[in-house]
Structures are given as structure tokens and as C-alpha cells.
Amino acid sequence: MRVASLTGLRGVAAVSVLLYHIPHQPAFSQFAIPLFSRAYLAVDLFFILSGFVISYGYHDRVVTHLSRASYADFLINRMARVWPLHLIVTLVFGLRILLNVSGNQSIDLNAGNVISNLFMVQSWGWGTEPIAGNSWSVSTEVAAYLIYPLIAMLAFSRLAWAQAALCIGVLMFVASSGLGSSGPLDVNDSDSVLTLLRCVAGFSLGVLTYRVADHPVCKAVIDRRGGFAGVCALIALALLLPGADVLVVCLMPALVLSCYYDGPAARAVMANRLSFHLGLISYSIYLWHPLVRDVAARTMGVAQRHGIAGMDWLFVLGMLVVTWLICWVSYLLIEVRGHQLIKWMQKGRPQRPAALEPAAP
């Protein structure tokens, strides 16, 4: 069962990351949008959403009725959801490096990097690098999947308050490390375990959010007229405060709950056809857009050397359209079909085509 507003929220977050990354390519630096200058925090929203949605779908099967079979089935389902696209994107990015398609060969295709990327453990803090840059967050989420039963058991125990305090403390520790590139919490170094801690803390907050979703106090405060708008306003105000990354992340569970309650305002913004569609292809958007951006920048450079100038905006527009087309095809042919193939291999029978729940980046 899918909550449309949560799917749309993931789509809005993915597009925010895309718009945040566009000016990171020097050729497109003039297209920086101040509104998205801290959209690296959308990755933390992904972590929280993942913890919440996975609990929504799996808590009863994996935690309440935990067994070796239920845990194995959970892991296979999650890998069927995230691994096929991760594999294809990694292979394409690896080919990009070998052929220098986008003029960037910053990752060494040594044995350690190749093997760790194939097994999705490249960003667990032992120095290997993600071949497809954004895949660092998917790698850390795999670690969260592995320990999900433990996270959920704590979240639904009397120690939940301590777990919440620990998560906030970990996020504050990560933010104070000085390793953030665009902001205090923008930590994704391949040789630091802080990247992994950032994910697990956010994911755990998402599981805790699911625990309190039906609490009368939460529903009274958030599930009311103006609740969604109020939460959005609080997050917007927090984003105006310099260095307040942890505060913004601590407000995100309220945003997730406001979409989960699916009020009229949340549905209008997050469950419309565009937001919902972007949510379906959000995983593809997240992984593919850096490559499309870099190829577009190099194409623009070639065009400028041949006298075609003053049309940079057209290349950005073309990049956005091509990104959408690639990601829509990627969702249908890689995400959906890849999931079906792995489930067929597990159960020995074909699966009917169905729309997938958005994967966490």
C-alpha cells in the first residue's frame, strides 16, 4: 500500500538534489538557485523517509514476527529494489571513466573500488570510493537495512527516547566534524565512518517517526488544518539560520508525518500527478543526473568552441528534459524489470508487472 504524498515528497527531494548539483558543474555555475543551496539535506530526508516507509511496509513481518526466513525475505526485497539500477549506473559510470566521456576521471578503477561498488559497501568508511558519485548514500542505506530489526526493536521499546537522543547526538557530532563540504552536515567522505553514521541516524529517526505516527499528540499537532503549511514554514525558517542543519533534519519527521496523514494541502502539493511521477522515478533521478549534467556541460563546451554562444540556458533545459526521459525509461526497464527478475530467481515464478515503491537513494 502506497501513500501518494510520501511518494511525491521523495520526488520533490530528488529534484531538489538535482537543482542543487547543477551549479556544482563549473560550466553551469551561473544557474545556482539560492532556494536549493542547502538541498544536500534532502539526502537526510531520504534517510528518514526510508526508515519510515520500510517500517510502514515491513515492521510486522520483520520485527513483530522476526525469523530467519522473514529477515532474509526482507533483505532480498530491498536488494531487488536497489541493486539492479545501482549495478547498471555503476557500470555506465565506470565506462564513462574509462572513455573519459565527460572529461572527468577522478575515481581510480582499482580492485577495491570495483568490488566494493558491486557489493554496495563502498561508503562504509574503509576508503573505497563510489564509482557513481551519488551511490554513496545507497551504500550506507544497505548497512541500515542489515541492522533494521535491531533499530526497529529499540524504536518500539522503552529505550526509544534514548535512541532518539542518540540519533540527534550523532547528527550533531557529524555536523561538528568540519568535514561537511557545502554545509555542516554535508559529510559524505569515502574514508570516514561519519558518512555511515549520518545515514543510520537519519534512518533511525524515520523508524522512530513511524512509531509515533498514530500517537494522539502527533495527530493533534500535525494532522490538522494548516499543519502541512506550518511544518513547511518552520523548515523554511530553519533553513535561513546559518549552520542549523541538525535543526532542519530534526523538523523533517514532522514533514514526513504531515504527508503520511495525507491532508488536503499535502495531497495538493505532494500527491499531484507531477510530484507522484517524479517520486516513482526519484531513485533514477538521483543516480543518473550527475552523468547527464556533466555530458551536457561538455557538449556545451564543444558548441562554444565552434562559435555557438549565449545559449547556456538551452543546454540546461535540454539536460533536464534528457534526464527525465532517461530516468523514466530507467525506472520501467531497469528498476521494475530488475526487481521482477530477482524476485523470479527467488521464488521460481514470474512476477506480474507492478509499480514499485520509490527506492531510497
Side-chain angles (χ1 to χ4, degrees):
M1 183 177 179
R2 189 197 309 273
V3 178
S5 295
L6 289 176
T7 300
L9 178 59
R10 192 180 296 277
V12 170
V15 172
S16 296
V17 174
L18 182 155
L19 295 175
Y20 163 73
H21 278 150
I22 286 177
H24 285 199
Q25 166 57 250
F28 297 135
S29 59
Q30 71 271 30
F31 293 97
I33 304 174
L35 178 63
F36 299 98
S37 62
R38 294 171 70 185
Y40 57 86
L41 293 175
V43 178
D44 298 279
L45 178 58
F46 285 138
F47 294 149
I48 294 170
L49 266 170
S50 294
F52 185 92
V53 172
I54 285 173
S55 294
Y56 178 73
Y58 290 100
H59 177 266
D60 186 60
R61 282 179 283 172
V62 179
V63 181
T64 305
H65 300 96
L66 179 62
S67 66
R68 182 180 300 177
S70 65
Y71 178 61
D73 186 65
F74 163 71
L75 291 180
I76 291 172
N77 270 296
R78 294 318 302 160
M79 295 310 294
R81 185 63 188 94
V82 300
W83 188 74
L85 180 60
H86 176 273
L87 174 65
I88 297 301
V89 172
T90 296
L91 293 176
V92 171
F93 271 65
L95 185 63
R96 161 205 184 182
I97 295 171
L98 290 175
L99 300 180
N100 195 23
V101 172
S102 61
N104 186 345
Q105 302 185 76
S106 58
I107 305 298
D108 183 10
L109 295 181
N110 56 45
N113 283 337
V114 171
I115 293 172
S116 64
N117 276 268
L118 290 178
F119 285 93
M120 298 182 71
V121 298
Q122 65 270 26
S123 297
W124 288 14
W126 37 49
T128 52
E129 300 177 274
I131 293 174
N134 283 352
S135 68
W136 68 267
S137 65
V138 187
S139 170
T140 58
E141 281 216 16
V142 170
Y145 300 157
L146 289 171
I147 60 174
Y148 170 67
L150 175 60
I151 293 173
M153 287 176 184
L154 288 172
F156 282 80
S157 73
R158 295 180 179 180
L159 295 176
W161 65 270
Q163 184 183 20
L166 179 61
C167 290
I168 296 172
V170 167
L171 290 174
M172 293 176 67
F173 177 68
V174 172
S176 65
S177 67
L179 297 177
S181 53
S182 297
L185 205 52
D186 188 23
V187 176
N188 51 40
D189 289 359
S190 59
D191 58 351
S192 172
V193 73
L194 296 181
T195 301
L196 186 61
L197 293 178
R198 176 187 176 189
C199 168
V200 173
F203 185 91
S204 299
L205 285 177
V207 179
L208 287 162
T209 303
Y210 177 74
R211 175 183 174 165
V212 303
D214 293 323
H215 194 285
V217 173
C218 290
K219 292 180 72 69
V221 173
I222 300 174
D223 189 16
R224 58 190 299 175
R225 186 179 182 87
F228 174 75
V231 170
C232 292
L234 285 175
I235 291 177
L237 289 174
L239 285 170
L240 295 176
L241 301 175
D245 286 5
V246 175
L247 175 60
V248 174
V249 173
C250 287
L251 291 171
M252 287 177 176
L255 178 61
V256 172
L257 286 177
S258 66
C259 290
Y260 172 68
Y261 295 144
D262 210 26
R267 286 200 304 272
V269 177
M270 299 298 179
N272 60 69
R273 292 182 65 181
L274 176 59
S275 296
F276 186 79
H277 171 74
L278 293 173
L280 288 180
I281 65 174
S282 58
Y283 184 34
S284 285
I285 291 174
Y286 184 74
L287 287 185
W288 282 119
H289 78 262
L291 177 62
V292 181
R293 176 203 62 185
D294 291 349
V295 172
R298 193 168 193 189
T299 303
M300 187 177 73
V302 172
Q304 289 174 344
R305 287 195 295 273
H306 286 79
I308 302 175
M311 302 183 68
D312 295 3
W313 64 270
L314 191 59
F315 284 93
V316 172
L317 179 61
M319 176 195 67
L320 294 175
V321 173
V322 170
T323 299
W324 170 70
L325 290 173
I326 289 175
C327 293
W328 183 223
V329 173
S330 171
Y331 171 75
L332 294 175
L333 299 186
I334 301 176
E335 294 187 54
V336 174
R337 297 301 177 183
H339 182 272
Q340 292 170 357
L341 176 61
I342 292 177
K343 294 302 292 180
W344 177 83
M345 293 172 64
Q346 177 195 12
K347 298 182 179 180
R349 60 178 182 271
Q351 301 291 307
R352 292 184 61 188
L356 299 177
E357 80 280 4

